[in-house]
Amino acid sequence: MRLGVLDVGSNTVHFLVVDAHPGAAPLPAYSHKIELRLAELLEADGSIREDGVRQLVEMVSSSLRIAEDKGVEEVLPFATSAVREAANGEGVLKRVQDETGVELRVLSGGDEARLTFLAARRWYGWSSGRLLLLDIGGGSLEIACGLDEEPDTAVSLPLGAGRLTAAWLPGDPPAADRVRELRRHVRAEIARTVAEVSRLGPPDHVVGTSKTFKQLARITGAARESDGPLVPRKLPRSALEDWVPRLAAMSADQRVLLPGVSAGRARQLLAGALVAEAAMDLYRVDELDICPWALREGIILRRLDKLSG
C-alpha cells in the first residue's frame, strides 16, 4: 500500500510518500519538505509565531494535495517537540485541523525515542545485541537502549540543536563564553541519564540517527548521502572532538562550505556537535554507526505491524 507520513518536526516539516507492506522495507516514492524551524519561530512566551503557524497550515494543505496526486491510501500525520512544548500548542493543533481537516498526533518524547529505536532495530537486526540509540532533533535529544524491539529505557531531553542554538548561541560565530556555558549545560543534562542507561549493561552496538549526526559524520569523512543508504557510515568520537573547536570558530557562512552541511542547518551544527560529543563521551562511546532509518520509518513500521497483527 502507499502511505504518506507527515512529520511536523522542530526543524523540518516533511511529507514522505512510501510504498510499504508488512514484511518488507518501506520504499520512498516521493518527498516534499520545507525547513520551517518551528523550534526557533517563538514569541517571548514560548508560543509559535503567527508566520510559523501560517506556513505550517500551508504545508499541511500542500501535502494533502500531493497525497491525492500520488495515490496515497493513508496519511500518518504527527508532530514532535516544537508543537508539543509550544505555549500555544493546542491552538496550533486546532487551527491545523480546522483549516485542513488533519488531526496531528503529538508524540511524547518517550514515544519519539521508542519509535526511532524500533526503526534502528529493524535496520540492523538482532545481531546488534544490546542497542544504544542517540537521536538529535531540532527540539530534543532522544536516548533509548535495549535488547528487544521495545527499549528497556527511553529518555527525551530538551537538547535539540535548534532549541539550544536559539537559546544559548546568539552570535555568529558565538562568543567563547557562551559556548562553554552551553557545553556545561548539555553535559549536566545528559549526565543525569547515564546511570539509568548504564545499569542495563554496556551496549553491543551504538547508533546515531537524524540529520545532525549525518552531517557530523560527513564532515569527519563519511560517505556522501548521494552514495545511498546501504553504504556504512561511522562517526568516531576522536574526530568529532577535533571538529568541535573548529566549528565554534566558524560563522554559519563558513560552515555551509563544509561537505554535507546545508544552509538551513549550518547555525545549528555547533550545538548539535556539542550534544553529540557529550553523549558519546558520557556514555563512553568511541564510535557509532549512522542509521539511515529514524522516526518516520518507525511510524511506518508500527503502522504495518498493526495491519499484519
Side-chain angles (χ1 to χ4, degrees), residues 141-209:
L141 163 69
E142 273 67 54
I143 303 162
C145 186
L147 283 166
D148 302 322
E149 290 197 339
E150 183 70 20
D152 296 312
T153 187
V155 179
S156 181
L157 299 174
L159 298 178
R163 178 199 297 269
L164 295 178
T165 300
W168 292 81
L169 302 176
D172 186 27
D177 60 338
R178 297 292 289 171
V179 176
R180 284 194 299 271
E181 289 172 9
L182 176 56
R183 184 180 186 276
R184 285 195 293 269
H185 170 71
V186 165
R187 285 174 174 261
E189 290 290 310
I190 295 175
R192 295 174 183 171
T193 71
V194 171
E196 180 179 347
V197 175
S198 297
R199 67 178 175 79
L200 302 173
D204 300 302
H205 191 184
V206 184
V207 302
T209 65

Side-chain angles (χ1 to χ4, degrees), residues 15 32 56-67 69 100:
F15 183 62
H32 172 53
L56 173 58
V57 170
E58 292 171 355
M59 177 62 180
V60 173
S61 297
S62 65
S63 297
L64 290 179
R65 292 192 294 270
I66 290 170
D69 291 344
T100 69

Side-chain angles (χ1 to χ4, degrees), residues 44-208:
D45 66 351
S47 298
I48 297 175
R49 294 195 324 235
E50 169 60 25
D51 58 328
V53 179
R54 185 179 63 253
Q55 290 179 72
L56 173 58
V57 170
E58 292 171 355
M59 177 62 180
V60 173
S61 297
S62 65
S63 297
L64 290 179
R65 292 192 294 270
I66 290 170
E68 181 177 343
D69 291 344
K70 299 298 180 183
V72 169
E73 297 179 51
E74 182 180 357
V75 175
L76 308 175
F78 68 93
T80 56
S81 62
V83 174
R84 181 175 68 235
E85 297 168 11
N88 61 339
E90 290 296 328
V92 172
L93 294 172
K94 185 177 186 305
R95 182 164 165 188
V96 169
Q97 186 169 11
D98 289 347
E99 297 192 25
T100 69
V102 171
E103 182 177 358
L104 290 172
R105 172 192 173 194
V106 179
L107 301 178
S108 69
D111 287 338
E112 286 190 57
R114 284 185 285 271
L115 287 165
T116 307
F117 184 88
L118 171 64
R121 171 61 76 193
R122 293 281 179 91
W123 180 267
Y124 289 107
W126 300 114
S127 63
S128 286
R130 191 182 308 281
L131 186 66
L132 173 61
L133 166 88
L134 303 173
D135 179 276
I136 303 171
S140 58
L141 163 69
E142 273 67 54
I143 303 162
C145 186
L147 283 166
D148 302 322
E149 290 197 339
E150 183 70 20
D152 296 312
T153 187
V155 179
S156 181
L157 299 174
L159 298 178
R163 178 199 297 269
L164 295 178
T165 300
W168 292 81
L169 302 176
D172 186 27
D177 60 338
R178 297 292 289 171
V179 176
R180 284 194 299 271
E181 289 172 9
L182 176 56
R183 184 180 186 276
R184 285 195 293 269
H185 170 71
V186 165
R187 285 174 174 261
E189 290 290 310
I190 295 175
R192 295 174 183 171
T193 71
V194 171
E196 180 179 347
V197 175
S198 297
R199 67 178 175 79
L200 302 173
D204 300 302
H205 191 184
V206 184
V207 302

